[in-house]
Amino acid sequence: MGFPDRIERVLELAHPPEKVWTALTTAEGLGTWFGNEATIDLRPGGVARLTWTSGDTAELTLERVEEPTVFAFTWHIYGLPADDLRRTYVEFSLEPTGTGTRLTVVESGFAQLPQEAHDKAFGGNSTGWTHELGELVDYLDAA
């Protein structure tokens, strides 16, 4: 039996796709719900950098930017040494609905890890996405 390779979350948001897109793809949005400060070069191959008040940082390499339907990036795998080149792929898909937007978030690439590293990364990111997507909802509802 293999390890789970992906984390998937689906949110029904009471906001239009354009508003959700802005929250996902701007420094102001990312720096509010997904970090405490952000910069972003919004193009495939561009980089977004997130900083938290804890001093933690994350660098995202943008892979897909298809306004307003798909935003995707790769990033360092939680728990691995900083110089480890393995990455997971995170994709946000936005679909308009009658009441707003269906947002699907999929992070994949965990199956490449040995068990101990997999358990730490998959568990940490599963919990992390629950928390961060709750922050996204709060950000959208307050805006």
Side-chain angles (χ1 to χ4, degrees):
M1 181 172 130
F3 304 127
D5 186 56
R6 61 192 268 144
I7 298 166
E8 183 170 343
R9 301 284 188 268
V10 178
L11 300 172
E12 299 292 336
L13 302 169
H15 303 282
E18 296 77 16
K19 183 175 181 180
V20 177
W21 178 263
T22 298
L24 297 174
T25 62
T26 64
E28 177 186 337
L30 287 172
T32 302
W33 72 269
F34 199 25
N36 298 112
E37 188 177 316
T39 61
I40 186 168
D41 178 8
L42 189 61
R43 63 180 175 80
V47 172
R49 288 184 179 80
L50 303 172
T51 305
W52 286 265
T53 54
S54 65
D56 291 335
T57 62
E59 184 171 290
L60 321 176
T61 300
L62 306 188
E63 303 292 340
R64 293 179 66 189
V65 179
E66 300 170 15
E67 185 176 354
T69 58
V70 180
F71 175 63
F73 59 84
T74 54
W75 65 345
H76 181 261
I77 299 174
Y78 172 71
L80 295 184
D83 62 349
D84 193 298
L85 298 178
R86 290 175 285 185
R87 301 287 183 262
T88 55
Y89 175 80
V90 178
E91 184 170 284
F92 294 83
S93 301
L94 293 76
E95 178 184 344
T97 65
T99 58
T101 304
R102 178 174 298 113
L103 176 65
T104 303
V105 182
V106 176
E107 182 174 11
S108 60
F110 294 98
Q112 67 184 303
L113 301 173
Q115 184 168 355
E116 186 176 311
H118 176 277
D119 293 348
K120 182 174 186 173
F122 189 85
N125 285 28
S126 291
T127 301
W129 281 119
T130 298
H131 173 77
E132 296 298 347
L133 293 173
E135 297 268 332
L136 172 63
V137 170
D138 292 345
Y139 173 75
L140 289 166
D141 288 349

